[in-house]
Amino acid sequence: MSQRFPIRQVAVLGAGVMGAQIAAHCINARVPVILFDLPAKDGAKNGVVAKAIANLKKLSPAPLGLAAQADLIRIANYDDDLALLRECDLVIEAIAERMDWKHALYQRVTPHLASHALFATNTSGLSITKLSEGFDPDLRARFCGVHFFNPPRYMPLAELIPTASTRPDVIDQLETFLTTALGKSVVRALDTPNFVANRVGVFSVLAVMHEAEKFGLHQDVVDDLTGAKLGRAKSATFRTADVVGLDTMAHVIGTMRDTLPADKDPFAALYATPPMLATLVAKGQLGQKSGAGFFKKVGRDIQRFDAATGTYVTGGGKADEIVARMLKKPPAERFKLLRESSNPQAQFLWAVFRDVWHYIALHLGEIADNARDVDFAIRWGFGWNEGPFETWQAAGWRQIADWISEDIAAGRALCAAPLPAWVAAVDAVHTPQGSWSAAAGAYKPRHVLPVMHRPLFGQTVRREPAPDPANAGQTVFEDASIRLWTAPTAPDVLIASFKTKMHTIGGSIVEQLGRAIERAERDYAGLVVWQTGEPFSAGADLQAMLPAFMAGGAAAIEPVEKALQDLVLRMRYAQVPVVAAIRGLALGGGCELAVHAARRVAALETYMGLVELGVGLIPGGGGLCYLARRASELAASAGANVDVMAFLKTLYMQPAMAAVSRSAVEAREMGYLLPDDVIVMHKDEVLHVAIAQVRGMAEAGYRPPMPVPIKVAGRGGVATIQAQLVNMRDGGQITAHDFLLASMVAEVMCGGDVDAGSLVDEHWLMRLERERFCKLLDHPKTQERIMSLLQGGGKPVRN
């Protein structure tokens, strides 16, 4: 096979929870996909798949970037449609975790595979080698495991598991596809039970459950201790199990129990299903999907299951403050305090960390090529900010090893097996030379594919040499709010990165971004606005505006708003391309900046919206002007006599409802991304693609757009919208202040008190926007909403 292996179409076998969502994510990535399952016993033969696709539109979190695109999945059944497999370059089997069922399906489908097609099984722990039994040598060379984590759209990890017969180029081709096309972060796993992430992650869960019972801690307290306080997912341990499904958790534990007896694993005694988990599964209380598991929501309250009584009782227990303070200390001090404390919660935490470190040290050589793969698998598959080997190294490799050995000798550890000899032979597992491989007895550098050069700042482990995006490249200008710089690989493209909290936009950002455009026009091919981390921007810095407002009222804010409006127009009409490279939230002013760029490059997980109505304001940085212009452009493209109101009504609803896109695909539907904008699946590749866009546009002789008169709906359009708003107000759907805000949005987007069909320019609309924004600042109800936000209020005040 050539190094470039185009995957034009994918087939997914099995329309269950995982299969359907893998197919959905292929659609997110614009990869044509066929979803197969058994023929339905009643009704249409493709009814099983059709039902699964219909269910995709209802799931939360949404598997699809745009629910309507579920219909792009082709449906098929094993009786009538196997010939379609010959059209597919990649076939992923994703049926239930039964070896016999999988083998039966393989006998049925493999004769229909194309001779070049890659064949993969999505299993969470079955032996890939045993699954390949019965294949001819050619198919065995093209077969491997690919383990997506649930939900596939959101969880970054995909484990690739070759067998001894899998051709290396097959794994390279599949890793390249998974990375750039599907946006996955790949770990190559060994063909051992439960592979890497589930092997270590599920052991960690079991250790938590075991130690929690030993120290008498309930689920709510344990989750408060093992979630965000440890730099892990907020769902922590027991809540995560509820989300995954307690039957699924029990199945994975069962796989470990059945495949890892005591002669293979000294921790085998721990692989018994925890009693509380077994009780809940027997009751059919399987977690989120059944409405109750370790926790149950009753009204607004979260109750926990009490094993002693078999009922749900009041939850809400929290970590002791003294333990919470320990967890904020530097690693070496933190673990010394936890280990020496007499507090049961502190003892519990030390025990859990010790158990996991003991486990990964003993098993590193058999479950992973190197320590880096263990850390990445846990970070990407279980949402930890730091992998277990990284934490051990940060806390002091030798000291932690000594403490673990002391606990083993004292009988406090979960098993009596001593730490392996390699632990004492090294000072660290991660070094600039590579990460430790217990099997090879050496430090191993990364396996590098061309696709891995696309992220300028890919993810790394502790002590791995890598540029820091905060100071990489050549700094052109830097102050407390912004850094202008160039990347080593792109000295011809200027990059602007904000340094403010949540990358909010204040006066200094506005001033320096304007100067950045001037620099770019003079010295560079173009400008990219990209942040070193998420979000892209949470909007205007209201806190920074407060002193000026207190001193001079709304009149003092008017010049600030005009400066922002002038900046976005400066971006739009710059003589070089300005590209917004977006990941995460782009709200309010952040959205306004982005929509005025020459082009946008957005990660799939991009959430854009003009949300100012939630704080009693209207967009004031050109957002409404942009939407009015967009409505005019759409009407013009539809025909000379098309009423602009036909398009404006839809676009009006975005700011009027403070709607936020749930993906970059939906942001395009909402009008915040345009057809020429680029959606990137892997968020770490956004900057690379944005730089390429700047260069491509510059090479093509970029010229900014010509200012074009904007056709508006005028006072008639305002009246039409207000008639609907009156009904909503009188029906109690919106408050009187909501009515005022929504009316002002209509006034701006319709061009104010002018005739329908009038032509205005951007400055006219910006003035209307600015005047109403400042007027609202003086309104007591808006001030009440803003103060609630600044004081840390939760949901927006409805006054």
Side-chain angles (χ1 to χ4, degrees):
M1 295 183 184
S2 65
Q3 190 172 10
R4 290 184 62 82
F5 181 75
I7 294 180
R8 301 175 181 85
Q9 183 165 246
V10 172
V12 177
L13 310 179
V17 173
M18 282 300 291
Q21 291 196 63
I22 291 168
H25 196 58
C26 287
I27 294 300
N28 290 335
R30 305 174 297 284
V31 176
V33 64
I34 307 171
L35 182 59
F36 284 80
D37 211 305
L38 294 165
K41 295 178 180 178
D42 301 305
K45 290 190 77 172
N46 286 327
V48 173
V49 179
K51 182 178 179 181
I53 291 174
N55 192 50
L56 287 172
K57 301 176 184 180
K58 306 172 187 175
L59 289 179
S60 178
L64 287 147
L66 192 66
Q69 291 189 346
D71 298 330
L72 296 177
I73 300 172
R74 292 176 66 185
I75 60 178
N77 68 79
Y78 301 132
D79 278 1
D80 303 332
D81 303 311
L82 290 180
L84 295 175
L85 291 174
R86 295 200 181 277
E87 304 171 12
C88 299
D89 306 298
L90 169 62
V91 177
I92 302 172
E93 170 270 306
I95 68 169
E97 295 280 79
R98 284 272 301 267
M99 185 81 69
D100 54 339
W101 291 1
K102 289 178 186 285
H103 275 145
L105 179 62
Y106 296 169
Q107 290 176 5
R108 193 170 185 182
V109 302
T110 52
H112 300 274
L113 300 181
S115 61
H116 70 281
L118 309 185
F119 189 29
T121 173
N122 178 66
T123 174
S124 61
L126 295 180
S127 168
I128 310 302
T129 301
K130 289 183 178 179
L131 285 171
S132 70
E133 289 176 355
F135 291 173
D136 63 55
D138 179 64
L139 180 56
R140 193 177 293 122
R142 292 181 278 122
F143 180 73
C144 67
V146 56
H147 178 207
F148 290 91
F149 272 62
N150 189 23
R153 171 183 164 185
Y154 301 95
M155 293 302 293
L157 179 63
E159 291 177 311
L160 267 182
I161 312 99
T163 71
S165 301
T166 310
R167 284 205 321 265
D169 63 305
V170 166
I171 298 299
D172 288 350
Q173 289 156 358
L174 195 47
E175 180 167 358
T176 297
F177 172 75
L178 290 170
T179 300
T180 285
L182 297 189
K184 298 289 103 184
S185 296
V186 175
V187 165
R188 297 190 181 199
L190 303 182
D191 190 11
T192 56
N194 286 349
F195 314 129
V196 181
N198 273 348
R199 180 76 177 271
V200 176
V202 172
F203 173 84
S204 174
V205 171
L206 287 170
V208 166
M209 292 180 178
H210 175 86
E211 300 291 2
E213 184 178 6
K214 175 181 173 182
F215 288 101
L217 303 181
H218 297 307
Q219 303 97 285
D220 44 5
V221 173
V222 169
D223 275 7
D224 192 49
L225 285 165
T226 61
K229 288 182 173 65
L230 297 186
R232 301 177 184 177
K234 288 196 296 185
S235 53
T237 303
F238 289 98
R239 175 61 184 149
T240 295
D242 276 352
V243 172
V244 169
L246 302 193
D247 52 342
T248 302
M249 179 67 67
H251 171 80
V252 175
I253 294 169
T255 300
M256 296 176 77
R257 182 178 60 248
D258 296 341
T259 57
L260 296 168
D263 60 334
K264 289 186 178 180
D265 191 332
F267 289 89
L270 193 71
Y271 302 152
T273 304
M276 191 188 303
L277 176 61
T279 299
L280 289 166
V281 172
K283 287 173 170 280
Q285 294 166 332
L286 306 180
Q288 183 171 277
K289 59 187 171 186
S290 66
F294 287 115
F295 297 103
K296 178 181 180 181
K297 189 171 184 180
V298 180
R300 293 187 176 182
D301 297 327
I302 303 296
Q303 297 183 343
R304 63 170 176 83
F305 182 72
D306 180 56
T309 63
T311 62
Y312 286 88
V313 299
T314 301
K318 298 292 183 183
D320 291 343
E321 180 57 32
I322 189 172
V323 177
R325 288 200 300 269
M326 290 180 193
L327 294 176
K328 295 177 181 179
K329 300 292 185 181
E333 183 181 357
R334 179 192 321 155
F335 289 105
K336 185 176 188 296
L337 290 170
L338 291 174
R339 185 170 186 271
E340 295 176 355
S341 173
S342 60
N343 183 291
Q345 294 182 13
Q347 293 175 342
F348 158 78
L349 285 173
W350 162 254
V352 167
F353 275 98
R354 176 205 63 216
D355 296 342
V356 172
W357 288 331
H358 189 187
Y359 190 82
I360 59 177
L362 279 172
H363 290 301
L364 174 59
E366 68 185 80
I367 67 171
D369 179 67
N370 58 74
R372 181 193 312 107
D373 288 346
V374 172
D375 281 342
F376 277 157
I378 295 301
R379 278 164 50 176
W380 297 335
F382 282 80
W384 295 16
N385 287 351
E386 190 173 61
F389 275 122
E390 291 180 288
T391 306
W392 182 350
Q393 185 165 317
W397 182 261
R398 291 288 175 88
Q399 179 63 81
I400 292 294
D402 289 344
W403 285 340
I404 296 171
S405 295
E406 287 177 22
D407 279 11
I408 295 169
R412 290 189 289 268
L414 290 179
C415 83
L419 289 175
W422 70 261
V423 173
V426 302
D427 293 318
V429 286
H430 301 306
T431 71
Q433 292 73 42
S435 292
W436 183 256
S437 170
Y443 290 101
K444 280 197 172 185
R446 284 204 192 203
H447 175 81
V448 178
L449 294 173
V451 69
M452 297 174 186
H453 295 298
R454 290 171 61 86
L456 276 68
F457 304 100
Q459 297 194 47
T460 59
V461 290
R462 184 176 295 274
R463 290 191 67 189
E464 187 175 10
D468 180 352
N471 52 37
Q474 182 67 45
T475 298
V476 175
F477 171 84
E478 186 170 13
D479 65 9
S481 65
I482 195 170
R483 179 178 180 236
L484 307 180
W485 58 288
T486 59
T489 56
D492 55 328
V493 177
L494 188 62
I495 303 168
S497 300
F498 304 169
K499 297 167 61 179
T500 51
K501 184 178 180 181
M502 296 290 285
H503 304 132
T504 52
I505 302 163
S508 179
I509 293 279
V510 171
E511 179 184 355
Q512 296 304 333
L513 205 49
R515 292 182 179 177
I517 295 170
E518 293 177 11
R519 286 176 182 268
E521 288 176 328
R522 185 176 66 241
D523 300 324
Y524 299 93
L527 172 67
V528 172
V529 182
W530 175 83
Q531 316 302 3
T532 59
E534 296 182 27
F536 176 74
S537 173
D541 187 351
L542 293 177
Q543 188 83 51
M545 290 185 186
L546 195 58
F549 177 74
M550 297 299 289
I557 302 302
E558 195 273 343
V560 176
E561 282 302 296
K562 187 173 188 308
L564 178 57
Q565 293 176 337
D566 290 345
L567 171 66
V568 298
L569 291 180
R570 183 80 179 84
M571 289 177 63
R572 174 168 168 75
Y573 295 110
Q575 295 302 303
V576 292
V578 178
V579 173
I582 314 169
R583 301 176 291 177
L585 296 172
L587 303 179
C591 181
E592 289 169 319
L593 273 185
V595 298
H596 283 88
R599 186 161 295 170
R600 285 138 296 278
V601 174
L604 176 68
E605 302 309 326
T606 289
Y607 314 109
M608 302 182 73
L610 298 173
V611 296
E612 286 83 353
L613 265 73
V615 291
L617 293 167
I618 67 168
L624 300 182
C625 172
Y626 163 80
L627 290 173
R629 173 169 57 78
R630 188 73 190 124
S632 178
E633 291 168 348
L634 291 168
S637 65
N641 298 317
V642 174
D643 184 1
V644 69
M645 197 66 185
F647 297 95
L648 190 138
K649 282 190 296 185
T650 300
L651 293 174
Y652 164 82
M653 293 305 296
Q654 317 299 356
M657 300 296 292
V660 177
S661 73
R662 289 164 291 188
S663 69
V665 183
E666 189 171 56
R668 179 175 278 158
E669 290 289 305
M670 293 168 69
Y672 295 133
L673 297 183
L674 300 181
D676 288 343
D677 292 335
V678 181
I679 297 175
V680 176
M681 295 301 293
H682 202 301
K683 65 180 183 179
D684 291 345
E685 296 184 358
V686 166
L687 179 57
H688 167 83
V689 176
I691 288 171
Q693 290 290 310
V694 165
R695 285 172 161 170
M697 295 166 76
E699 286 293 319
Y702 176 80
R703 294 290 303 169
M706 296 282 287
V708 175
I710 299 167
K711 183 183 286 188
V712 294
R715 63 181 74 88
V718 176
T720 299
I721 293 173
Q722 280 187 327
Q724 297 174 337
L725 294 174
V726 167
N727 292 334
M728 295 176 69
R729 181 194 62 196
D730 293 349
Q733 295 172 272
I734 61 174
T735 68
H737 196 53
D738 292 331
F739 175 84
L740 173 65
L741 296 166
S743 295
M744 286 189 172
V745 171
E747 289 168 7
V748 175
M749 290 185 64
C750 292
D753 189 15
V754 297
D755 294 335
S758 295
L759 298 178
V760 301
D761 62 16
E762 288 165 313
H763 294 286
W764 173 272
L765 293 170
M766 294 276 194
R767 178 182 58 80
L768 294 177
E769 187 179 273
R770 192 167 65 248
E771 288 174 353
R772 284 154 180 77
F773 180 93
C774 292
K775 184 177 180 180
L776 283 167
L777 282 174
D778 281 330
H779 199 293
K781 290 190 179 294
T782 285
Q783 292 173 7
E784 184 180 343
R785 292 191 183 189
I786 292 173
M787 291 310 297
S788 174
L789 173 71
L790 295 180
Q791 291 167 4
K795 293 184 179 180
V797 173
R798 293 296 306 280
N799 53 5

